[in-house]
Amino acid sequence: MAFAVAFSGLSATASQAATVTGNLTADNQFSVYISTSDSTLGTLLASGNNWPTTYSFSTPLTSGTYYLHVVGDNFGGPANMAGGNPDAFIGQFSLTGNYVFANGTQSLLTNTTDWRATDATGGAANWNSAPSGTPISYGTNGGSNIWTNNNGGHPLNNISTNAQWIWSSPDATGEAFFSTTISAVPEPSTWAMMIFGFLGVGFLAYRRSAGSVRLA
């Protein structure tokens, strides 16, 4: 019975419904996906190709660990190549339910700490391994950078001014893959059930041990 209580607590945590939402854009275009494997691109949630526009998505999460994946593409090649133009991805994201982002909270901005980035070629079709590099930052939303200047000196709508414009480094191709982790966490009540269950297991083991000693 105690085992049943403990493992039913684990099952309840895994089955808790939740939602991830996001507001994002990229220069020049992006696609965002949700996946249960960091090496698999996953299910398309949204896409856009007009960087001054903020695009939104919302999708349910049901159980286990998820990965938010973004594929970015810069028209004209890498920014550091002759004829290239600036490239970057920016956004803010939130969770409901028993899930947290890589920063341990239910709110996440684009930054160089909680995202992984890798140079890419061939677009989404070539996502076959988990991004592992550290992205580079080109400044914040509304800060002193080319995107603020080309947006009339204003930050993008519906994205925090603390969010950073990020891209893979080195920028060798003008394409980039981004990933961040979404993890399930138990509710306090679930932890309580699990602790009670394991205490029950220990008590039963003690009772059996004591009974064996008396019989001897």
Side-chain angles (χ1 to χ4, degrees):
M1 173 64 100
F3 276 120
V5 171
F7 286 106
S8 67
L10 287 171
S11 176
T13 299
S15 63
Q16 280 290 334
T19 301
V20 56
T21 60
N23 298 323
L24 70 161
T25 192
D27 184 1
N28 292 105
Q29 70 178 13
F30 77 92
S31 299
V32 57
Y33 303 78
I34 192 76
S35 180
T36 56
S37 168
D38 209 12
S39 298
T40 303
L41 188 57
T43 302
L44 179 65
L45 301 177
S47 61
N49 60 7
N50 181 32
W51 73 260
T53 300
T54 300
Y55 300 85
S56 300
F57 72 84
S58 179
T59 193
L61 307 174
T62 55
S63 64
T65 300
Y66 288 87
Y67 300 90
L68 199 60
H69 291 157
V70 176
V71 176
D73 184 17
N74 182 40
F75 301 157
N80 56 14
M81 181 184 74
N85 56 62
D87 45 18
F89 149 56
I90 193 168
Q92 71 174 46
F93 307 86
S94 62
L95 291 164
T96 61
N98 300 320
Y99 283 84
V100 294
F101 288 112
N103 61 5
T105 75
Q106 292 194 309
S107 299
L108 180 69
L109 304 176
T110 42
N111 59 51
T112 60
T113 302
D114 302 309
W115 291 82
R116 302 173 293 277
T118 298
D119 276 358
T121 55
N126 283 342
W127 186 298
N128 50 29
S129 62
S132 58
T134 300
I136 190 171
S137 173
Y138 292 114
T140 57
N141 183 28
S144 179
N145 53 61
I146 190 170
W147 298 280
T148 302
N149 294 342
N150 281 280
N151 197 41
H154 304 293
L156 300 179
N157 294 328
N158 301 316
I159 296 178
S160 168
T161 53
N162 291 320
Q164 299 177 36
W165 290 93
I166 61 172
W167 201 255
S168 59
S169 178
D171 178 11
T173 65
E175 297 180 43
F177 292 161
F178 302 90
S179 175
T180 192
T181 306
I182 300 172
S183 303
V185 294
E187 289 183 328
S189 59
T190 301
W191 281 115
M193 283 192 297
M194 291 169 61
I195 292 169
F196 175 76
F198 290 126
L199 286 174
V201 171
F203 178 72
L204 288 175
Y206 169 77
R207 288 285 300 272
R208 288 172 184 160
S209 175
S212 297
V213 169
R214 285 196 296 269
L215 288 174

